Amino acid sequence: MYLTCVSFEKIDSFELKFVDKTRLNVKVFLGYYCKSVLGNCKKDLSSRNTQFISVCWLWNWRGKSKDEDLWPLLNDKEKQAPNPQILHIINPISFFSITDSLPLLHSLLDYSTMASAASPTSLSLIPTTSSSSTTSRNTPTVRLPSRFLRSPLRGLGFAAADPLLSAHVASKLRSLKTSARPMTGVVSMAKRSVGDLSPADLKGKKVFVRADLNVPLDDSQNITDDTRIRAAVPTIKHLISNGAKVILSSHLGRPKGVTPKYSLAPLVPRLSELIGVEVVKADDCIGPDVEKLVASLPDGGVLLLENVRFYKEEEKNDPGFAEKLASLADLYVNDAFGTAHRAHASTEGVTKFLRPSVAGFLLQKELDYLDGAVSNPKRPFAAIVGGSKVSSKIGVIESLLEKCDILLLGGGMIFTFYKAQGLSVGSSLVEEDKLDLATTLLEKAKAKGVSLLLPTDVVIADKFAPDANSKIVPASAIPDGWMGLDIGPDSVKTFNDALETTKTVIWNGPMGVFEFDKFAVGTEAIAKKLAELSGKGVTTIIGGGDSVAAVEKVGVAEVMSHISTGGGASLELLEGKILPGVDALDEAVAVPV
Ligand SMILES: Nc1ncnc2c1ncn2[C@@H]1O[C@H](COP(=O)(O)OP(=O)(O)O)[C@@H](O)[C@H]1O
Ligand SMILES: O=C(OP(=O)(O)O)[C@H](O)COP(=O)(O)O
């Protein structure tokens, strides 16, 4: 039996068709990632007479062309596999939540029970609108009503790894068991967590923990916001209290080679204080000296490796470098949610060399929360995007236009849009190669009826410094030699009015250079507005190192619904993208049938 979901995006119902007569041998994949589902299917393609149920309801796969879909993941032999149902996995998009899936699953399984009693068979899910080579006029069909479909919804998190559901499906499958061949199990595709490891798995083990300790530092190397360090503590404490030796790794900033300014050394005192253990600091992240420090690490000890981005191999996800990192440890825990959208050596590469590779508590918590809140947001849903990582974040806007009702842009992002509209932007931050994209995005927003608001006035400065001369000008009147460093008061008012109607707001990227008091007004005003909305029951999610630092500075972090340690990561999650750092981790263990 092989059952998979095929693009549900533009359809409101689909059919279940019995397409093949084979002996019943059921394998169920409850999947979040079609990629993983396919990976698992591939393992079994070679074995004859294995059929699958693949219920991959949570992954919203947006393959735009054949090259981007799952087809290329199959090798030539697999593409010609005798099992024709494999074709249906080419572009699976599914939108079910666990709750929605239960009745669906029940009906599938009940129906397959009936069908198997009559004639052992194979199932395939085919959209009603599609034509399929495996559809035959005589195939029995069940039409599932559109209420089983919830669109557009996707998931990634651990909350959905409902063991009850896995157990339920397993018991259903037991009732389908035939003597012909045994059934294999129910695989819930959620990720394995550090909490799933037993004390015996951890005692005396060297654990490579990738955290995101990319905290803001001032010119004197003082930590200006320790949110990310605090967020990393529960996993580290759990490991040391179970007698593990923690080898802690992180990046800081975006250094090009070894740069003392980006050393992790300034984090050691705060980290030690929060963990309650004197953290040892290595001057490198690989090599003989590090190996010696690891060898002398006691059970329950913590060794902080130097900034992993001092090696260019980190961002290149160089396998040799990943292997060197991995060679320091016995197992891997990824707790770096803020960096989970990067396929780097310490977030993705190491998983190829370390088993188990599991998620830390922070990663788990972030996915649990964000998945629920942004995959099915209460509306109107607004996103506020600012900050300085224009090239990373401008691309996200296209997807946000699909999800949001209101999109507010601020920070360094806006000048690329102004310039694209023919305005002069002085010496403001501009991504020249994104001008066309900015124009397209403005047109798309209009066509989709999304309220995309750009600031109408800006605070400009004559230099990038806290003591710069400043003035407020309309967005259309930035003189040469001046740069925009904050949004102006009219824009704050317009943004506040727009936010007034919302039920969910996600914010990533400050509205201005809030580190300088003169240019912090716009950011602080938005922070205060979101705090006020939180008090009225609006879901408010703040993501990103600097955005979180900004709300901490204003003293309103506590009242927000969720403070996320990842800005780019939370936006990519919202986009429906696979986060490679999550994807690479071990799947949760199968429930045997
Ligand atoms: N108009 C601007 N010009 C230059 N830098 C800006 C501007 N507005 C905001 N920034 C800077 O953006 C940085 C934060 O950007 P980013 O890293 O994208 O946000 P986050 O860390 O919240 O994800 C801050 O250091 C801030 O000073
Ligand atoms: O600060 C981070 O991301 P964020 O600014 O999107 O929150 C993470 O540490 C990732 O850093 P990167 O965007 O340099 O890969």
Side-chain angles (χ1 to χ4, degrees):
M1 182 183 303
Y2 178 28
L3 174 66
T4 189
C5 308
V6 187
S7 177
F8 295 129
E9 192 158 27
K10 294 275 184 303
I11 59 171
D12 59 8
S13 71
F14 58 89
E15 294 171 3
L16 244 181
K17 298 197 180 206
F18 290 80
V19 291
D20 195 6
K21 290 193 175 185
T22 53
R23 277 183 305 170
L24 189 66
N25 172 28
V26 181
K27 184 158 185 169
V28 173
F29 295 95
L30 305 179
Y32 301 106
Y33 308 99
C34 286
K35 250 184 178 169
S36 313
V37 170
L38 182 64
N40 281 302
C41 289
K42 277 176 70 166
K43 277 185 218 144
D44 285 285
L45 265 178
S46 47
S47 72
R48 291 177 348 139
N49 282 338
T50 303
Q51 301 94 44
F52 308 93
I53 296 178
S54 169
V55 185
C56 32
W57 63 86
L58 289 172
W59 183 248
N60 179 358
W61 183 270
R62 295 195 172 274
K64 290 192 183 84
S65 71
K66 244 194 163 181
D67 289 341
E68 288 175 58
D69 66 26
L70 294 165
W71 186 244
L73 300 178
L74 296 175
N75 65 32
D76 286 343
K77 206 168 141 217
E78 287 157 347
K79 283 178 186 168
Q80 268 133 49
N83 181 350
Q85 284 76 54
I86 195 67
L87 292 174
H88 296 302
I89 205 164
I90 289 176
N91 185 18
I93 299 178
S94 41
F95 300 122
F96 305 104
S97 74
I98 282 285
T99 334
D100 289 347
S101 299
L102 272 171
L104 167 67
L105 210 51
H106 288 189
S107 51
L108 296 183
L109 293 171
D110 291 342
Y111 202 60
S112 62
T113 314
M114 263 162 45
S116 64
S119 91
T121 191
S122 178
L123 291 177
S124 184
L125 261 179
I126 302 162
T128 48
T129 49
S130 87
S131 65
S132 161
S133 60
T134 54
T135 309
S136 103
R137 204 172 281 169
N138 298 326
T139 49
T141 297
V142 58
R143 188 177 286 264
L144 294 174
S146 57
R147 68 192 151 84
F148 288 133
L149 296 168
R150 205 161 90 185
S151 164
L153 172 68
R154 56 162 299 280
L156 189 65
F158 295 76
D162 184 349
L164 277 179
L165 179 59
S166 297
H168 169 79
V169 177
S171 77
K172 278 271 178 188
L173 287 176
R174 274 181 217 118
S175 71
L176 294 179
K177 227 168 184 170
T178 65
S179 56
R181 281 177 69 91
M183 291 165 221
T184 40
V186 175
V187 182
S188 167
M189 289 281 184
K191 295 298 175 179
R192 204 169 171 200
S193 146
V194 67
D196 296 334
L197 302 178
S198 70
D201 293 328
L202 297 173
K203 174 83 185 132
K205 294 284 168 53
K206 291 171 284 177
V207 186
F208 189 101
V209 179
R210 176 54 158 106
D212 186 336
L213 305 177
N214 183 22
V215 290
L217 299 172
D218 65 16
D219 291 343
S220 316
Q221 298 287 88
N222 296 310
I223 300 164
T224 53
D225 179 62
D226 67 357
T227 303
R228 280 182 168 156
I229 305 181
R230 283 186 283 113
V233 166
T235 294
I236 300 169
K237 275 195 165 171
H238 174 77
L239 290 169
I240 59 178
S241 67
N242 279 284
K245 302 166 196 232
V246 173
I247 303 161
L248 187 58
S249 167
S250 177
H251 72 286
L252 182 82
R254 292 176 167 179
K256 301 272 169 274
V258 179
T259 319
K261 185 177 125 178
Y262 292 116
S263 167
L264 290 173
L267 279 62
V268 173
R270 184 67 180 133
L271 198 52
S272 303
E273 186 189 345
L274 287 166
I275 301 171
V277 160
E278 203 52 50
V279 172
V280 179
K281 162 78 178 40
D283 292 333
D284 205 333
C285 61
I286 51 168
D289 290 347
V290 177
E291 284 158 23
K292 274 186 213 143
L293 287 170
V294 171
S296 62
L297 201 60
D299 290 1
V302 180
L303 173 69
L304 176 65
L305 304 180
E306 186 50 283
N307 192 338
V308 76
R309 286 192 186 169
F310 282 178
Y311 287 84
K312 62 179 181 328
E313 290 86 348
E314 161 67 358
E315 290 176 71
K316 290 192 167 138
N317 199 1
D318 178 84
F321 180 67
E323 191 169 8
K324 282 184 194 157
L325 290 173
S327 71
L328 299 171
D330 302 311
L331 58 123
Y332 176 69
V333 176
N334 189 353
D335 214 15
F337 175 72
T339 325
H341 58 316
R342 311 282 184 218
H344 292 172
S346 67
T347 60
E348 200 269 345
V350 285
T351 63
K352 308 224 167 62
F353 304 100
L354 284 171
R355 278 288 164 283
S357 288
V358 301
F361 295 126
L362 173 65
L363 191 66
Q364 189 172 342
K365 188 178 116 189
E366 291 269 20
L367 292 171
D368 273 352
Y369 187 88
L370 290 169
D371 201 43
V374 301
S375 58
N376 189 24
K378 289 179 277 167
R379 291 183 183 276
F381 178 25
I384 311 171
V385 184
S388 57
K389 293 179 181 171
V390 181
S391 53
S392 325
K393 287 171 191 170
I394 198 166
V396 175
I397 292 174
E398 182 156 19
S399 324
L400 291 179
L401 292 174
E402 303 286 338
K403 314 252 167 167
C404 300
D405 307 299
I406 300 165
L407 191 53
L408 307 181
L409 300 183
M413 183 75 66
I414 55 181
F415 305 100
T416 303
F417 284 85
Y418 292 153
K419 187 153 187 192
Q421 290 173 303
L423 302 180
S424 62
V425 295
S427 49
S428 307
L429 190 66
V430 167
E431 297 271 346
E432 295 287 344
D433 61 341
K434 298 284 189 268
L435 293 174
D436 289 346
L437 177 59
T439 308
T440 313
L441 291 171
L442 290 170
E443 285 161 4
K444 276 196 177 157
K446 214 172 190 180
K448 286 188 177 300
V450 175
S451 173
L452 190 158
L453 300 183
L454 281 164
T456 45
D457 59 346
V458 286
V459 185
I460 55 171
D462 58 357
K463 59 179 177 183
F464 190 86
D467 60 350
N469 291 310
S470 67
K471 52 185 173 180
I472 297 161
V473 296
S476 55
I478 303 173
D480 284 351
W482 289 71
M483 63 185 81
L485 294 187
D486 196 9
I487 62 173
D490 283 346
S491 311
V492 168
K493 189 176 174 324
T494 313
F495 282 14
N496 281 351
D497 289 347
L499 290 169
E500 194 57 50
T501 59
T502 54
K503 293 274 190 298
T504 307
V505 186
I506 182 164
W507 178 21
N508 172 238
M511 295 293 98
V513 183
F514 74 99
E515 296 91 337
F516 304 158
D517 287 343
K518 250 184 180 171
F519 308 104
V521 179
T523 302
E524 292 181 6
I526 295 296
K528 285 178 188 151
K529 183 66 188 175
L530 294 196
E532 178 201 319
L533 292 173
S534 301
K536 292 180 185 166
V538 174
T539 300
T540 49
I541 300 164
I542 319 300
D546 290 298
S547 313
V548 171
V551 296
E552 285 283 357
K553 190 177 166 203
V554 179
V556 292
E558 284 300 308
V559 300
M560 302 298 180
S561 310
H562 183 71
I563 295 290
S564 173
T565 51
S570 53
L571 289 178
E572 289 202 12
L573 199 60
L574 173 59
E575 272 189 274
K577 277 192 177 165
I578 293 177
L579 302 186
V582 180
D583 195 36
L585 300 175
D586 297 352
E587 307 295 348
V589 182
V591 177
V593 175

